[in-house]
Amino acid sequence: MRKCNAELMKELKTLQTEIAEIRNNITEYSIVTYYEGDDVYKDFNFEESYAKLNELLEEERRIRTLLAYSNATTILMDYDGKTSIAEGLVKLAQLTKSLERVKRLVSKQKVTRTIIPSTIADQPNRVKVRECLYDIDSIPVILKELKQEIARLQIAIDRTNLTNTIEC
């Protein structure tokens, strides 16, 4: 049976939810507290839960392995003809970090001056100057280019994940 990457990612997400539930159940229900002489409700089967957890973990590893192989070997559609999904994901993270960094630059003023009062009598006040060493007017252009490249890359990754199929 063949499945696309997106299907496998959805299955993986569902598996991870099930794994978390079983782990939580093992933690919460594997111990019972009661008073001597009271009726005790012991409806938890540790061995069964642990076996099911191991089965799900094995399936998670299998899916992760398939996705890792696909990500490493599948070239992004409609991008540059040489970037794999894995490389695209790394580049997407890098571009997103760059975007965050450049966004902080856009609100700066080219030059600011602050008067610092003298701490010694008969000394003049000093002017503290802070000057940006980059062209502030170029920042909106850089932001636009980064956003466009991020969108283009995200679309290529999504399109590839929806159309590339893997033998399961």
Side-chain angles (χ1 to χ4, degrees), residues 4-110:
C4 71
N5 294 17
E7 282 179 284
L8 288 174
M9 287 186 278
K10 293 287 184 189
E11 285 181 21
L12 184 59
K13 190 87 164 160
T14 301
L15 267 175
Q16 290 170 330
T17 301
E18 286 182 58
I19 288 168
E21 265 181 42
I22 291 174
R23 284 179 171 157
N24 185 55
N25 287 345
I26 288 173
T27 302
E28 293 297 317
Y29 302 119
S30 63
I31 297 173
V32 63
T33 304
Y34 59 93
Y35 293 102
E36 277 186 62
D38 286 353
D39 289 335
V40 181
Y41 184 67
K42 299 179 183 176
D43 188 35
F44 181 77
N45 186 326
F46 177 83
E47 290 78 16
E48 184 180 299
S49 295
Y50 197 70
K52 178 67 176 172
L53 175 63
N54 284 330
E55 179 184 311
L56 293 176
L57 289 172
E58 188 174 319
E59 179 65 7
E60 179 188 30
R61 282 190 304 276
R62 188 185 74 77
I63 292 173
R64 283 184 180 275
T65 301
L66 289 170
L67 286 170
Y69 180 78
S70 177
N71 286 349
T73 60
T74 304
I75 301 301
L76 290 175
M77 295 177 64
D78 303 326
Y79 191 64
D80 63 3
K82 60 181 179 181
T83 301
S84 69
I85 296 172
E87 291 169 315
L89 291 169
V90 170
K91 184 174 182 178
L92 183 60
Q94 291 170 334
L95 289 170
T96 302
K97 286 285 186 190
S98 293
L99 181 64
E100 291 171 10
R101 198 171 23 263
V102 173
K103 277 183 177 178
R104 289 193 298 269
L105 299 176
V106 77
S107 64
K108 307 290 185 204
Q109 295 180 5
K110 178 68 176 162

Side-chain angles (χ1 to χ4, degrees), residues 115-129:
I115 297 175
I116 306 297
S118 174
T119 56
I120 301 172
D122 298 332
Q123 291 272 329
N125 291 340
R126 297 187 68 196
V127 177
K128 181 176 167 181
V129 179

